[in-house]
Amino acid sequence: MNSPVDDQSTTIGVPDPHDPYPFFAARRREGGVFHGTVMDYSRTPEDLRPADSFAAVSWASVNKALRDNTVFSTQLYDSTIGVFMGPTILAMNGSGHRAHRNLVSAAFKPQSLAVWEPEVVRPICEELIDEFVTEGRADLVRDFTFEFPTRVIARLLGLPAADLPFFREAAVAIISYAGNVPRALQASKELKEYFLGHIEQRRAAPREDIISDLVTAEIDGEKLTDRAIYSFLRLLLPAGLETTYRSSGNLLFQLLTHPGQFAAVQQDRRLLPQAIEEGLRFETPLTLVQRYVTRDTELDGVAIPEGAVLDLCLGSANRDETRWERAEEFDIFRAHIPHISFTAGAHTCLGLHLARLETRVALESLLDRLTNITLLPDGVPHIFGQPFRSPTALPVSFDVA
């Protein structure tokens, strides 16, 4: 077993949030795993920073770690995001994780998706386009990609439209906990009280919504506790909002800056599914997840001690040149090779089918209603962020179809 590289590797810097990919590529050239981190902890309170970090940046090392929940455990989330969300399936493993996942997955059954598309997702996309279509221009981040998953989640949960600003602000506060711990704790408390009220209402009178599904779900005589339900709902808000709005914005940005591929999608909507997958691969909305190392181990020839935190760099794995030819190019016509944006193994994202559905319907709605969509140079639109990545704005002009 090789020894980890010396401590200087932990001080060489972190990825540039404007473009982290050169950093990722450089680290892959040195090996699949290194001693150090791809996270910027400069704004994170000292007691929330790991004492020792390693990072997996190759496809093989990231995929292997994601599929071994015994050695590379999600339990570290109990001491990070779990402080603010409560115990969730993110940090569970083994039989407990399987049982809870089976219960909450009842809310995302295929029959529900078939209903949600025509009754919830498409009408919301149409409503949003109605709000800006007469203007001839819009910021597709502010006016569309940021809004539609928020409204979708609210409607699926059966929450009043008037409460949108409250729970969106609270969700953002929780996921941004590193910058303001007191505000994140307050937001967590507020959401707990808010959801408890809705849980009690659904228990007394179930409706056709996800909260009712969670309240009534039962497997082998077991039901979810109130704590498990409101913790899952606190997780669902930022998970459902953040990744979907970012991935749809990333895809729109790539299509708008690759006009030949955009024209092909406009002419043949059957290309949308493969465009969505390439967008998720090329600009992964969440570039990393983390795992706690439960015992001394080795990954890609590098020794990793028990107690270390391992960054699993999805954004780097999705551009691994040993898996994809021209990995650093956006190409919706490339041969399909599965990416890892929804992670892998037991903790594969529960909402991946809903996320794909939302992005597909959003693009279909835009292309049905608008023509000559052109990206404007206002503020030089670009994708930004690490580990969350998306365009800061997408100012466009258009004609009405």
Side-chain angles (χ1 to χ4, degrees):
M1 181 183 296
N2 296 331
S3 298
V5 295
D6 62 43
D7 288 341
Q8 290 181 349
S9 66
T10 66
T11 60
I12 65 167
V14 292
D16 181 350
H18 288 88
D19 183 7
Y21 297 104
F23 178 97
F24 296 158
R27 297 319 307 235
R28 286 196 306 273
R29 287 193 292 270
E30 297 171 3
V33 177
F34 70 91
H35 190 198
T37 183
V38 294
M39 279 288 289
D40 181 356
Y41 288 111
S42 61
R43 297 176 63 235
T44 303
E46 194 70 36
D47 58 347
L48 293 178
R49 302 181 191 181
D52 193 14
S53 290
F54 288 73
V57 291
S58 68
W59 165 270
S61 61
V62 170
N63 185 53
K64 181 178 180 180
L66 285 171
R67 297 178 185 279
D68 185 349
N69 293 305
T70 301
V71 177
F72 305 104
S73 171
T74 60
Q75 71 185 69
L76 87 162
Y77 288 120
D78 278 335
S79 58
T80 55
I81 194 68
V83 173
F84 310 95
M85 289 186 179
T88 71
I89 58 173
L90 271 184
M92 296 178 184
N93 287 291
S95 59
H97 172 257
R98 286 193 296 273
H100 275 75
R101 187 178 176 94
N102 287 339
L103 283 167
V104 299
S105 65
F108 296 92
K109 51 188 179 291
Q111 303 95 302
S112 296
L113 292 175
V115 173
W116 291 345
E117 177 175 345
E119 295 188 4
V120 177
V121 181
R122 197 170 296 276
I124 285 173
C125 290
E126 295 296 330
E127 291 167 10
L128 283 167
I129 295 172
D130 286 341
E131 293 174 15
F132 64 75
V133 69
T134 59
E135 301 298 319
R137 59 186 295 156
D139 176 353
L140 292 180
V141 171
R142 181 194 63 213
D143 300 327
F144 193 67
T145 63
F146 186 70
E147 277 293 323
F148 88 83
T150 307
R151 296 191 189 187
V152 167
I153 288 293
R155 202 164 296 179
L156 294 180
L157 293 178
L159 304 178
D163 294 347
L164 276 170
F166 158 71
F167 70 75
R168 180 162 51 201
E169 179 183 340
V172 171
I174 288 177
I175 208 164
S176 307
Y177 68 89
N180 191 337
V181 169
R183 175 64 190 114
L185 289 170
Q186 180 62 29
S188 176
K189 179 181 178 182
E190 292 169 354
L191 281 174
K192 172 187 173 180
E193 295 170 352
Y194 177 78
F195 284 130
L196 275 174
H198 282 279
I199 290 168
E200 292 170 3
Q201 291 174 12
R202 302 310 192 280
R203 187 163 284 122
R207 308 175 191 172
E208 293 293 325
D209 59 37
I210 286 179
I211 297 179
S212 297
D213 288 343
L214 294 172
V215 167
T216 58
E218 184 175 328
I219 295 179
D220 297 331
E222 180 185 358
K223 288 190 174 183
L224 290 168
T225 64
D226 285 357
R227 187 185 189 195
I229 294 172
Y230 66 68
S231 293
F232 176 74
L233 293 172
R234 280 190 301 210
L235 168 65
L236 181 62
L237 281 176
L241 307 185
E242 284 281 335
T243 53
T244 302
Y245 109 74
R246 292 181 187 278
S247 62
S248 58
N250 288 347
L251 176 57
L252 277 168
F253 179 89
Q254 296 303 331
L255 290 173
L256 288 165
T257 54
H258 294 81
Q261 296 184 56
F262 190 28
V265 171
Q266 289 174 302
Q267 294 165 11
D268 186 356
R269 305 296 176 77
R270 292 172 299 179
L271 293 173
L272 264 176
Q274 64 199 63
I276 290 169
E277 299 310 307
E278 177 66 354
L280 286 164
R281 181 201 73 83
F282 185 75
E283 268 294 2
T284 311
L286 175 62
T287 61
L288 73 96
V289 295
Q290 294 182 312
R291 296 294 187 261
Y292 175 80
V293 181
T294 61
R295 61 172 182 254
D296 291 353
T297 190
E298 176 186 308
L299 185 62
D300 199 30
V302 173
I304 307 177
E306 176 184 348
V309 167
L310 178 65
D311 297 342
L312 302 181
C313 192
L314 309 175
S316 177
N318 277 336
R319 294 203 185 186
D320 190 328
E321 49 283 320
T322 67
R323 184 170 174 83
W324 289 275
E325 294 182 1
R326 301 175 293 103
E328 300 286 353
E329 295 179 22
F330 176 78
D331 180 6
I332 67 171
F333 301 108
R334 70 171 65 248
H336 175 65
I337 299 175
H339 57 73
I340 206 163
S341 298
F342 294 114
T343 76
H347 285 274
T348 299
C349 175
L350 264 173
L352 78 169
H353 299 303
L354 176 59
R356 286 176 167 130
L357 183 154
E358 287 182 288
T359 301
R360 174 179 57 78
V361 173
L363 268 291
E364 288 174 347
S365 298
L366 285 173
L367 296 179
D368 284 345
R369 301 284 300 276
L370 313 178
T371 61
N372 299 322
I373 305 172
T374 304
L375 188 63
L376 301 174
D378 304 8
V380 189
H382 61 280
I383 291 176
F384 179 84
Q386 164 66 16
F388 291 102
R389 288 185 61 72
S390 61
T392 53
L394 283 175
V396 297
S397 62
F398 54 82
D399 295 326
V400 180

